[in-house]
């Protein structure tokens, strides 16, 4: 849950940071290519995924605070979250254009578009959501397995350095 919360915070923070870059600095040709690239790679779907994840996080919090809550509440959370975040999806996409322009030249964009139009590019777009989900789950599982060892080593180091004193 901490990883999900961090992802959501970073995603929404990105939207704020993006506002610092002027869209006027992006040529019409670059903007067209960036928007096409974002369409091909499913950038608009990212907003939907964030909405679903955010609703799940809110629902989890509700369930924790009110274990006997009516299951209808979760449908309301999902609907309201989706509605509110959908209102800003075009705005977010527009604010992301300068970010792409900052990191990719027009030549880069041409190469990316050629790649994503190719069969392997289309396969990459199709496989990426599942691959990212599975990778995230694997990373979380691996992190959980490491927690006891990390806690043990941190405790040992703090004791050795005299920072942590044993209770008497």
């Amino acid at each position: 849950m901490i990883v999900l919360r961090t992802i959501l915070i970073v995603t929404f923070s990105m939207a704020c940071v993006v506002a610092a870059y002027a869209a006027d600095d992006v040529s019409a040709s670059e903007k067209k290519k960036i928007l096409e690239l974002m369409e091909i790679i499913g950038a608009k779907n990212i907003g939907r995924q964030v909405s679903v994840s955010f609703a799940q996080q809110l629902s989890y919090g509700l369930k924790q605070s009110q274990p006997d809550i009516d299951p209808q509440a979760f449908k309301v959370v999902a609907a309201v979250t989706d509605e509110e975040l959908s209102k800003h999806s075009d705005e977010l996409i527009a604010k992301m254009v300068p970010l792409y322009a900052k990191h990719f030249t027009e030549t880069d964009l041409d190469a990316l578009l050629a790649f994503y139009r190719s069969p392997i590019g289309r396969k990459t777009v199709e496989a990426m959501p599942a691959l990212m989900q599975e990778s995230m789950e694997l990373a979380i599982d691996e992190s959980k397995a490491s927690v006891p060892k990390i806690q043990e080593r941190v405790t040992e180091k703090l004791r050795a350095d005299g920072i942590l004193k044993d209770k008497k």
Side-chain angles (χ1 to χ4, degrees), residues 37 40 100 104-105 107-117:
L37 177 63
I40 290 171
Y100 278 75
F104 298 109
T105 66
T107 302
D108 294 337
L109 293 168
D110 291 333
L112 285 166
L113 285 167
F115 170 74
Y116 284 111
R117 288 178 186 136

Side-chain angles (χ1 to χ4, degrees), residues 114-128:
F115 170 74
Y116 284 111
R117 288 178 186 136
S118 73
I120 190 62
R122 288 191 303 276
K123 182 177 181 177
T124 300
V125 169
E126 291 170 12
M128 200 52 66

